[in-house]
Amino acid sequence: MINSTLMMPVVALTTLATVVYIGLGFLPRPSRATALWSTAFAIAMVGSYVWLAQNHIASEPLRALGSGLTIAPMPLLWSGLRAYRGRERQHLLIGYLFGLLSPIVLLLSSFAGVYGIAFRVVFTATAVFAGLMIVELVGLGPRLRDEALPLLGVSGAFIVFAVIIDVNGMLVMAGLITGSDALNLVRTMNMVGMAVYVVCALITTLLLTIHGDEIATSPRDAFERTVRTRLDRASAADDDLWSLLDIRLDDPDDIRTASSTAEFNAVAQKFARDVDCVLPADADIEQVASTRCLVLVPRSQGGVRELLTELLERIATSEHDRALPIRLTASIGWAPVSAVGYDFDTLVGRAAEAANLAHAEGGDRWERVRAEAEQGERLDRDRLDM
């Protein structure tokens, strides 16, 4: 029987994790990923209460059922990560089947007298999902490295723990330790490991859920409403001295990999500060990500060109107190209403395409969207130059 002093903290942690994640994660930001993560925490909570019940009833089947329920949510955490990353297939059927079969298998094994073997098999299978979670967490990229780190580290420890449990089983089969001592060790380690895993999973999933809003690529409603209003008034007045700019810091993932979190945040703050300082006070600026801004600026093409030249020079200027191995540059997509029109969505789309083209051509430059007639004249000049 597991000491209640170990069990009560686990019950408290799983309950707290379920309440906190549903309240701060799922309800404010409902999605498939947050629904799967909420379900995983809830199942782990139920399993911890079943564990607590068997501590008072002294029922081996109840203990087996609780053990199965506490490890059953692992595939749901993995499916939630795939959903968060926008993967087309989340393999929900695998998660549901594992969540259903693992407690049933352990429950039946307790009646058949092979619980020790069954638990090690199920736990080893669960470690496979821990490995798959590591793959998904690494795939989130450098910009979410800190958010992924708690679950990444504890998933690696879970795999190591599975190996220890398998070695423990081999020692039992070899007769070097007794089965009861081995099971007590496994249960104690499982209880401590579960408490640590729940805390780390809560930290990572909650940070990913909250951070998902911060890295969204669509402009906020207030900025969009303001810009749409200005464009409508400009269209009515036939005022074509407006441009939408998509300003992006080049290679943010490389910068994130080559720097610490504090250094990357300093770079992002300098980028935003440079945009604010260079662009005029009558420009509408929206920072849609830490390394990307959308700007509506009322200037002639010559005026915009001067601003962009100054902005690129300012971004590339390194501060004396920061030593990065990567030179900071930016790519800018420039969509003037004279070439694109006054529709907000079209301007955003064409500016994004131009920014991507500027980055593909090496960055540290801007790319202006040209009208069809202007593009034709440019092609004719290119042919004459050949």
Side-chain angles (χ1 to χ4, degrees):
M1 185 177 298
I2 301 175
N3 194 323
S4 59
T5 57
L6 287 177
M7 190 169 300
M8 292 305 297
V10 174
V11 173
L13 284 173
T14 54
T15 304
L16 181 64
T18 304
V19 173
V20 168
Y21 187 79
I22 292 177
L24 299 181
F26 174 70
L27 293 179
R29 302 168 180 84
S31 66
R32 175 169 289 188
T34 56
L36 289 169
W37 290 335
S38 298
T39 303
F41 286 121
I43 293 174
M45 179 185 67
V46 172
S48 68
Y49 278 99
V50 173
W51 250 348
L52 182 62
Q54 66 82 27
N55 198 48
H56 297 285
I57 301 175
S59 169
E60 188 69 28
L62 204 59
R63 178 185 297 135
L65 181 62
S67 297
L69 288 172
T70 55
I71 61 177
M74 291 284 285
L76 295 180
L77 290 173
W78 169 61
S79 296
L81 284 171
R82 291 183 64 86
Y84 181 86
R85 294 186 61 198
R87 295 293 194 95
E88 185 177 349
R89 299 180 62 188
Q90 286 91 49
H91 303 291
L92 296 178
L93 183 60
I94 296 176
Y96 292 142
L97 284 177
F98 188 89
L100 178 65
L101 292 177
S102 56
I104 292 177
V105 168
L106 293 181
L107 180 63
L108 295 176
S109 69
S110 65
F111 292 106
V114 290
Y115 172 78
I117 297 175
F119 179 81
R120 289 175 174 86
V121 171
V122 172
F123 200 91
T124 302
T126 308
V128 174
F129 290 102
L132 293 173
M133 273 196 288
I134 291 176
V135 173
E136 297 298 331
L137 290 166
V138 171
L140 289 172
R143 278 178 284 182
L144 291 173
R145 178 180 62 189
D146 293 337
E147 289 80 354
L149 190 58
L151 187 54
L152 188 66
V154 79
S155 294
F158 191 97
I159 296 174
V160 174
F161 183 34
V163 173
I164 294 174
I165 287 181
D166 289 339
V167 172
N168 179 269
M170 294 176 185
L171 294 176
V172 172
M173 294 177 62
L176 299 179
I177 57 176
T178 62
S180 59
D181 292 339
L183 272 180
N184 286 332
L185 174 64
V186 168
R187 286 166 180 161
T188 302
M189 292 181 66
N190 189 29
M191 186 70 66
V192 175
M194 180 186 176
V196 175
Y197 205 99
V198 167
V199 172
C200 293
L202 175 63
I203 293 172
T204 290
T205 54
L206 195 57
L207 287 176
L208 290 177
T209 302
I210 295 173
H211 196 63
D213 288 346
E214 299 175 4
I215 62 174
T217 56
S218 59
R220 297 177 183 174
D221 292 340
F223 172 77
E224 182 175 342
R225 285 196 301 269
T226 301
V227 171
R228 286 185 185 275
T229 300
R230 294 192 189 281
L231 291 173
D232 290 342
R233 294 170 61 186
S235 177
D238 198 22
D239 179 7
D240 63 354
L241 299 181
W242 292 83
S243 297
L244 187 78
L245 307 176
D246 189 333
I247 307 170
R248 306 181 182 188
L249 198 63
D250 287 326
D251 305 314
D253 287 347
D254 293 340
I255 298 172
R256 185 69 182 85
T257 302
S259 62
S260 66
T261 301
E263 290 172 338
F264 181 79
N265 291 338
V267 168
Q269 290 169 6
K270 178 184 180 297
F271 168 74
R273 195 165 57 246
D274 291 341
V275 173
D276 286 335
C277 291
V278 172
L279 295 176
D282 54 354
D284 296 294
I285 303 174
E286 176 66 12
Q287 188 171 5
V288 295
S290 60
T291 57
R292 181 189 177 200
C293 291
L294 287 179
V295 182
L296 182 71
V297 58
R299 288 292 185 275
S300 64
Q301 291 192 8
V304 173
R305 189 176 290 108
E306 292 177 0
L307 291 172
L308 297 187
T309 300
E310 181 182 353
L311 178 59
L312 290 176
E313 291 176 353
R314 188 181 183 98
I315 290 174
T317 302
S318 299
E319 296 179 350
H320 62 85
D321 59 348
R322 190 186 69 247
L324 283 176
I326 300 176
R327 178 174 176 266
L328 300 181
T329 59
S331 296
I332 304 175
W334 173 9
V337 298
S338 58
V340 178
Y342 296 90
D343 181 72
F344 173 79
D345 295 323
T346 303
L347 282 167
V348 172
R350 296 297 299 276
E353 293 173 1
N356 290 331
L357 179 59
H359 182 264
E361 292 181 352
D364 196 20
R365 68 186 67 203
W366 73 79
E367 184 71 25
R368 179 167 64 91
V369 179
R370 303 174 185 274
E372 293 183 1
E374 190 177 358
Q375 288 178 343
E377 294 175 0
R378 186 181 182 184
L379 289 174
D380 291 338
R381 288 197 300 270
D382 292 341
R383 293 192 188 98
L384 291 174
D385 293 338
M386 292 177 62

